């Protein structure tokens, strides 16, 4: 039996919490995914304009491959400061690698570009403080749309945002959290139908219907390199080794292709993280990992579409519901 989790959220995965903080005046924010215990982490980069921190430590051949949190933030390169605030909050809780009498939290991070939608007349960039506040606010509830790192996100011509989704099987739970800020479109041009319409669960996208017009695949690609990015965190309680987690991250990138066109462009910094808490049994290394990777891809696509569906108009960008109504 396969179903969504009770919250339809990445926090359906036992031991996973999410914290968010945003500045509505500056139209930017930060989202943090925090496992209760250090979790095995892998990362896969596919975009051509990536902004990240400490992701090399999650690559094959690196020592440890464990993370105490994943930090996603607006602010372009300024937003990488947010992970410092997250580290401060975790260190204050005694969370991190113990090295002699020092505590060092490991917080891989990635950023989106949202500097054109909001104000930038700060005395100092707000992201360190946003990261600390997000980490301190971590819990099971995940606000969607204009929340956290999705506060200033845009999705093609529409307002983008933060989304989440989950699947539960008899053996494990898979959840996805996405910050949808692509240069490509999440809605089929000339229709009101999401590219990911066929993956909708329980009316989470307003009750999508198949497109009633011929498909148009051309989308507007407006912007410069580095101005757009979709970020995804996949979490599962299935016990994975690093090679398996990396394979799931690679497969989860297909979820971006289900939900966005074009995707993985020179204008985007698309990145997928995978966290394995390892509290459930390990899947079969062949068919089991293949199945888990497909669930991850589907959950990622749903989370991206939910982030756009639940966003409100802001910064001159209309929302999906303002443009197309509450359903397809």
């Amino acid at each position: 039996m396969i179903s969504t989790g009770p919250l339809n959220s990445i926090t359906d995965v036992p031991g996973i919490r999410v914290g968010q903080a945003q500045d509505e005046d500056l139209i930017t924010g930060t989202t943090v995914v925090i496992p209760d215990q250090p979790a095995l982490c892998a990362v896969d980069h596919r975009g051509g304009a990536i902004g990240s921190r400490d992701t090399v430590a999650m690559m094959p051949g690196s020592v440890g491959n464990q993370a105490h949190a994943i930090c996603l933030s607006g602010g372009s390169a300024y937003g990488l400061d947010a992970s410092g605030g997250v580290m401060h909050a975790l260190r204050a809780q005694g969370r991190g690698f113990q090295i002699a009498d020092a505590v060092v939290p490991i917080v891989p991070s990635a950023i989106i570009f949202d500097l054109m939608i909001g104000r930038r007349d700060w005395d100092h960039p707000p992201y360190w403080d946003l990261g600390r506040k997000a980490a301190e606010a971590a819990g099971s509830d995940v606000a969607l749309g204009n929340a956290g790192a999705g506060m200033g996100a845009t999705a093609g011509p529409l307002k983008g945002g933060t989304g989440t989704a989950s699947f539960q099987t008899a053996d494990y739970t898979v959840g996805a959290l996405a910050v949808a800020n692509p240069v490509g479109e999440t809605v089929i041009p000339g229709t009101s139908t999401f590219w990911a319409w066929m993956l909708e669960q329980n009316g989470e996208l307003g009750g999508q219907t198949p497109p009633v017009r011929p498909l148009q695949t051309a989308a507007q690609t407006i912007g410069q390199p580095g101005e757009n990015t979709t970020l995804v965190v996949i979490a599962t309680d299935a016990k994975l080794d690093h090679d398996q987690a990396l394979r799931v991250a690679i497969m989860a990138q297909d979820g971006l292709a289900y939900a966005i066109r074009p995707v993985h462009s020179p204008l985007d910094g698309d990145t997928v993280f995978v966290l394995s808490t390892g509290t459930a049994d390990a899947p079969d290394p062949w068919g089991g990992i293949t199945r888990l990777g497909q669930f991850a891809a589907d959950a990622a696509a749903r989370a991206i579409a939910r982030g756009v569906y639940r966003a409100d108009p802001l910064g001159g960008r209309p929302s999906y519901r303002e443009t197309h109504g509450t359903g397809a």
Side-chain angles (χ1 to χ4, degrees):
M1 180 68 178
I2 302 166
S3 63
T4 64
L7 299 175
N8 195 18
S9 168
I10 194 172
T11 57
D12 286 322
V13 177
I16 294 292
R17 296 176 295 128
V18 171
Q20 302 194 91
Q22 56 274 331
D23 188 315
E24 296 182 5
D25 187 33
L26 298 176
I27 313 183
T28 193
T30 298
T31 297
V32 185
V33 180
I34 302 178
D36 287 343
Q37 300 296 326
L40 183 141
C41 180
V43 61
D44 184 74
H45 296 297
R46 291 295 164 100
I50 296 160
S52 66
R53 170 175 163 173
D54 275 354
T55 56
V56 172
M58 303 299 117
M59 297 293 185
S62 296
V63 175
N65 298 137
Q66 287 192 323
H68 298 91
I70 303 294
C71 180
L72 312 178
S73 186
S76 189
Y78 294 105
L80 294 173
D81 286 349
S83 58
V86 176
M87 291 177 65
H88 175 79
L90 294 178
R91 183 189 62 81
Q93 300 169 16
R95 296 167 57 89
F97 284 121
Q98 190 78 39
I99 305 174
D101 61 350
V103 177
V104 183
I106 304 301
V107 184
S109 310
I111 47 87
I112 69 166
F113 185 95
D114 59 4
L115 298 179
M116 303 308 294
I117 194 172
R119 292 175 40 229
R120 301 181 298 282
D121 55 346
W122 52 58
D123 292 329
H124 66 275
Y127 297 100
W128 194 96
D129 290 331
L130 287 170
R132 176 183 58 82
K133 291 176 182 177
E136 292 174 348
S140 60
D141 293 335
V142 181
L144 304 180
N146 298 356
M151 185 71 186
T154 57
L158 298 174
K159 180 67 181 68
T162 300
T164 190
S166 68
F167 284 112
Q168 284 188 328
T169 75
D171 301 314
Y172 52 74
T173 301
V174 178
L177 182 142
V179 180
N181 184 61
V183 71
E185 298 192 25
T186 56
V187 176
I188 299 171
T191 79
S192 59
T193 303
F194 281 105
W195 283 111
W197 67 271
M198 68 287 191
L199 299 173
E200 182 181 16
Q201 302 290 314
N202 304 322
E204 63 194 358
L205 303 176
Q208 293 283 300
T209 56
V212 296
R213 302 179 186 177
L215 299 187
Q216 303 174 36
T217 58
Q220 296 178 346
T221 54
I222 301 171
Q224 299 296 319
E227 290 188 6
N228 293 89
T229 283
T230 296
L231 306 176
V232 172
V233 180
I234 301 293
T236 182
D237 52 357
K239 186 175 182 180
L240 306 177
D241 64 28
H242 189 262
D243 286 346
Q244 292 169 338
L246 179 58
R247 179 52 52 186
V248 171
I250 292 168
M251 293 182 70
Q253 290 277 9
D254 289 345
L256 279 70
Y258 297 159
I260 303 163
R261 295 191 183 184
V263 71
H264 304 148
S265 77
L267 303 166
D268 292 286
D270 302 328
T271 298
V272 172
F273 298 91
V274 168
L275 292 174
S276 167
T277 64
T279 58
D281 291 341
D284 172 82
W286 305 111
I289 293 298
T290 300
R291 192 163 179 253
L292 193 156
Q294 183 63 72
F295 288 142
D298 289 356
R302 291 168 50 216
I304 291 164
R306 284 191 84 196
V308 177
Y309 178 74
R310 293 290 297 274
D312 295 317
L314 188 65
R317 289 296 179 102
S319 70
Y320 174 89
R321 287 172 294 161
E322 178 185 54
T323 304
H324 301 294
T326 57

